[in-house]
């Protein structure tokens, strides 16, 4: 097998990992979260600038931790999309420069495939499986009949679930990223606010979070206009029940319809404690295996990119150095990068 260096810079984490024969030699993540917190969300321009400042430091640390030299690396992998265009550019330019300099292959990796494959650090994947991808930028159900076969069977029609957590948190005066405080406060609250379920009654695997977010924002503004106090824990609980309920409903129906062996969770929102416990309870109930990644795999890192890169390296799926980023890359097109 090969020694692969992977770079991730699609949002607000600059990360480099080095992998050999499935074993991680290093996994360095530099997060910008504190900087973006004061703006209540990720500022794309600042994210790109910080990636440019941090990438060489993170790269150096990853090489030192793994105790390897750049000339020993067999291939350079990088997140090509989806993500913030400027942020993606920094990682891709770094990987292309290294590939050119050391005359080694360039491996473009789909960010969400990375989130899915993060689970391989915990256990081998059992196909057919259903991947429940819930993050700050995406919400989708992906059916996988084998390695690297991705079929989207449902996706959000508007906002991602993580985005709705972040916006709801902002209107409630809670810090970014909003998923964490909402998760915590929801445990102290009751479901007292009347929030309707999006796409109710539709036999779809799609999601919709824009209307849900707007319902909460309007509810909060109406209460404030009437001079009434918002019960923040109750609002968090009411919102979370509906937001996560939608994911559980889709996952359960799809697991049964597609007769999958396993359901795996992926992405930042799979850190949510209610989603984790409900997913486990429901899948146990219908007798489907469930794989819930530990917290370190849920957030962005380059170890997950390295994992996918190993599969692509085996299949010699390399890209020319003329490659560009694709901020809207669909997981089904993960192998279409020969531009
Ligand atoms: O996967 P991720 O790092 O971002 C993308 O690559 O898109 O996920 C970040 C998202 C944020 O929206 C954040 O609010 C949410 O994950 N998040 C959570 C929790 N922890 C992070 N959402 C719900 N509950 C949590 N415990």
């Amino acid at each position: 097998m090969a020694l692969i260096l992977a770079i991730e810079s699609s949002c607000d984490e600059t990360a480099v990992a080095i992998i050999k024969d499935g074993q991680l030699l290093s996994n360095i993540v530099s997060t910008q979260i504190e900087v973006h917190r004061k703006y209540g969300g990720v500022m794309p321009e600042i994210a790109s600038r910080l990636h440019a400042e941090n990438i060489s430091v993170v790269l150096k640390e990853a090489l030192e931790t793994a105790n390897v030299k750049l000339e020993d690396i067999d291939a350079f992998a990088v997140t090509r999309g989806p993500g913030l265009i400027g942020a993606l550019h920094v990682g891709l330019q770094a990987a292309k420069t290294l590939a050119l300099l050391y005359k080694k292959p360039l491996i473009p990796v789909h960010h969400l495939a990375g989130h899915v494959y993060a689970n391989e650090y915990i256990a081998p994947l059992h196909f057919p499986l259903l991947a429940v991808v819930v993050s700050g930028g995406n919400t989708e159900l992906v059916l996988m009949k084998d390695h690297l076969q991705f079929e989207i069977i449902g996706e959000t029609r508007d906002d991602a679930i993580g985005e709705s957590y972040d916006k709801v948190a902002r209107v409630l005066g809670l810090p970014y990223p909003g998923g964490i405080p909402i998760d915590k406060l929801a445990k102290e609250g009751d479901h007292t606010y009347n929030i309707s379920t999006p796409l109710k009654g539709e036999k779809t695997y799609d999601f919709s979070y824009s209307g849900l977010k707007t319902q909460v924002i309007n509810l909060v503004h109406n209460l404030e206009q009437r001079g009434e106090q918002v019960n923040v824990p109750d609002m968090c609980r009411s919102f979370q029940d509906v937001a996560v309920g939608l994911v559980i409903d889709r996952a359960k129906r799809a697991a049964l319809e597609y007769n999958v062996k396993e359901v795996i969770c992926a992405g930042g929102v799979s850190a949510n404690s209610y989603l984790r416990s409900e997913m486990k309870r429901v899948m146990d109930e219908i007798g489907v295996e469930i794989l819930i990644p530990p917290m370190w795999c849920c957030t962005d890192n380059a170890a997950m990119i390295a994992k996918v890169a190993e599969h692509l390296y085996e299949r010699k799926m390399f890209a020319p150095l003329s490659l560009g980023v694709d901020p809207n890359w669909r997981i089904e097109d993960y192998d279409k990068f020969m531009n």
Side-chain angles (χ1 to χ4, degrees):
M1 267 289 242
L3 185 63
I4 298 174
L5 184 145
I7 299 174
E8 154 66 37
S9 70
S10 65
C11 190
D12 57 350
E13 267 91 27
T14 318
V16 176
I18 299 175
I19 197 167
K20 188 179 188 182
D21 300 338
Q23 295 300 313
L24 264 185
L25 304 186
S26 61
N27 180 28
I28 309 297
V29 182
S30 164
T31 182
Q32 311 172 354
I33 231 162
E34 288 307 325
V35 180
H36 297 291
R37 186 164 283 148
K38 40 180 180 294
Y39 304 101
V42 177
M43 298 297 283
E45 183 52 39
I46 295 174
S48 320
R49 199 164 357 113
L50 290 176
H51 283 306
E53 277 175 24
N54 295 338
I55 187 90
S56 48
V57 182
V58 176
L59 178 66
K60 188 163 176 275
E61 197 180 334
L63 289 163
E64 282 171 4
T65 307
N67 198 21
V68 298
K69 296 196 181 63
L70 278 171
E71 43 270 47
D72 302 329
I73 304 289
D74 295 309
F76 294 95
V78 63
T79 304
R80 183 198 174 217
L84 302 171
I85 188 164
L88 289 165
H89 264 301
V90 177
L92 183 66
Q93 295 313 323
K96 279 163 68 166
T97 306
L98 293 168
L100 179 69
L101 202 60
Y102 293 95
K103 300 187 175 52
K104 294 291 164 55
L106 175 72
I107 306 179
V109 177
H110 192 283
H111 180 76
L112 298 182
H115 274 304
V116 170
Y117 272 88
N119 284 281
E120 262 202 337
Y121 284 107
I122 315 308
L125 305 182
H126 294 143
F127 303 103
L129 66 76
L130 179 75
V132 179
V133 182
V134 279
S135 76
N138 298 274
T139 308
E140 51 195 48
L141 291 188
V142 181
L143 181 67
M144 291 179 73
K145 294 193 176 139
D146 205 343
H147 278 297
L148 299 176
Q149 287 186 15
F150 305 103
E151 184 193 340
I152 300 174
I153 59 164
E155 63 191 317
T156 184
R157 295 181 185 174
D158 39 61
D159 290 353
I161 182 170
E163 208 174 333
S164 73
Y165 264 92
D166 295 338
K167 297 276 163 53
V168 165
R170 198 190 311 188
V171 79
L172 293 174
L174 302 171
Y176 173 82
I180 299 164
I182 291 181
D183 189 2
K184 189 162 167 274
L185 286 166
K187 290 187 186 129
E188 299 160 19
D190 295 311
H191 190 144
T192 54
Y193 290 106
N194 189 12
I195 297 172
S196 58
T197 303
L199 309 177
K200 201 168 184 164
E202 283 190 38
K203 283 273 161 259
T204 174
Y205 291 122
D206 280 350
F207 301 88
S208 169
Y209 283 100
S210 171
L212 179 59
K213 169 195 75 185
T214 309
Q215 274 191 73
V216 177
I217 293 172
N218 288 344
L219 207 53
V220 170
H221 287 162
N222 288 342
L223 287 167
E224 282 170 353
Q225 270 165 9
R226 291 205 299 268
E228 289 175 36
Q229 191 111 33
V230 180
N231 183 321
V232 176
D234 280 7
M235 190 63 84
C236 290
R237 173 69 185 270
S238 309
F239 160 73
Q240 178 161 282
D241 280 355
V242 178
V244 171
L246 208 59
V247 179
I248 304 294
D249 165 74
R250 277 28 177 185
K252 181 181 175 182
R253 282 194 291 115
L256 288 170
E257 185 185 333
Y258 290 92
N259 204 10
V260 297
K261 276 213 180 83
E262 180 176 54
V263 170
I264 64 176
C265 296
V269 182
S270 54
N272 184 268
S273 61
Y274 179 58
L275 185 137
R276 294 166 84 90
S277 62
E278 272 300 279
M279 199 61 97
K280 176 147 182 16
R281 185 185 67 75
V282 168
M283 293 308 153
D284 283 352
E285 206 175 86
I286 60 171
V288 173
E289 259 179 71
I290 172 85
L291 187 54
I292 298 177
M295 298 301 183
W296 78 267
C297 290
C298 298
T299 48
D300 286 353
N301 61 77
M304 65 188 200
I305 303 304
K307 220 7 142 186
V308 182
E310 283 200 320
H311 289 277
L312 298 173
Y313 186 88
E314 250 177 58
R315 292 161 178 78
K316 296 205 166 17
M317 294 178 69
F318 307 140
L321 293 182
S322 55
L323 184 79
V325 299
D326 186 348
N328 302 311
W329 203 13
R330 284 175 71 76
I331 198 168
E332 288 167 331
D333 299 331
Y334 81 96
D335 56 349
K336 296 194 178 67
F337 47 72
M338 300 302 181
N339 53 357

